[in-house]
Amino acid sequence: MKFFTSGILLFLLLQVNFTNAQGVQFQAKADEIVYVGERFNLIYTLNAEGNNFRGPNIQGLMVLSGHFTSSSSSVQVINGKVSRTVEYTYTYVLAAGQEGVIEIPPAKVNVDGTIYESNSL
């Protein structure tokens, strides 16, 4: 009987679809003010599984390294409802090469066949 009960539980868990509580969000962030020669991070975060990340054409800043990709995920079961969250992070290490106001254009990423664009900075 114990095997039968655990088999039913496993079957039910496999039948539950993973849900993402929110829509796809793709956001850029970095320090607003940096000094010439100062290192800083440009970080893009994506709350879905994406591919073909295309970073921006960064002009007026020195790209010291990157992009580096990291990811995290978690699964939660509450009252029989299964939810899964993921986060992908794409990081550049930059330095200001000159004084002035510089705009960083948006990056792009593909999620399930749809191209998403981040904010510009």
Side-chain angles (χ1 to χ4, degrees):
M1 183 67 170
K2 192 176 191 179
F3 173 74
F4 182 73
T5 306
S6 12
I8 290 175
L9 179 61
L10 178 61
F11 178 76
L12 289 175
L13 284 175
L14 291 175
Q15 294 301 311
V16 176
N17 289 329
F18 288 108
T19 59
N20 190 349
Q22 51 195 23
V24 175
Q25 296 178 358
F26 185 39
Q27 183 175 359
K29 67 179 180 178
D31 293 340
E32 288 187 28
I33 299 174
V34 295
Y35 295 99
V36 173
E38 178 184 3
R39 293 177 179 210
F40 66 98
N41 291 334
L42 169 59
I43 301 170
Y44 294 93
T45 55
L46 174 66
N47 71 338
E49 193 169 337
N51 54 44
N52 295 331
F53 172 81
R54 289 176 294 214
N57 182 10
I58 301 171
Q59 296 183 359
L61 297 170
M62 295 180 288
V63 179
L64 302 177
S65 61
H67 76 272
F68 303 106
T69 305
S70 63
S71 65
S72 67
S73 67
S74 67
V75 176
Q76 198 172 31
V77 181
I78 300 176
N79 294 329
K81 183 175 180 178
V82 180
S83 63
R84 177 178 183 246
T85 58
V86 295
E87 180 175 273
Y88 285 80
T89 305
Y90 308 93
T91 305
Y92 290 90
V93 179
L94 306 174
Q98 61 190 18
E99 207 173 296
V101 177
I102 297 170
E103 181 176 341
I104 300 173
K108 296 178 182 177
V109 68
N110 183 329
V111 177
D112 294 330
T114 302
I115 303 296
Y116 289 88
E117 197 170 275
S118 73
N119 54 308
S120 58
L121 299 173

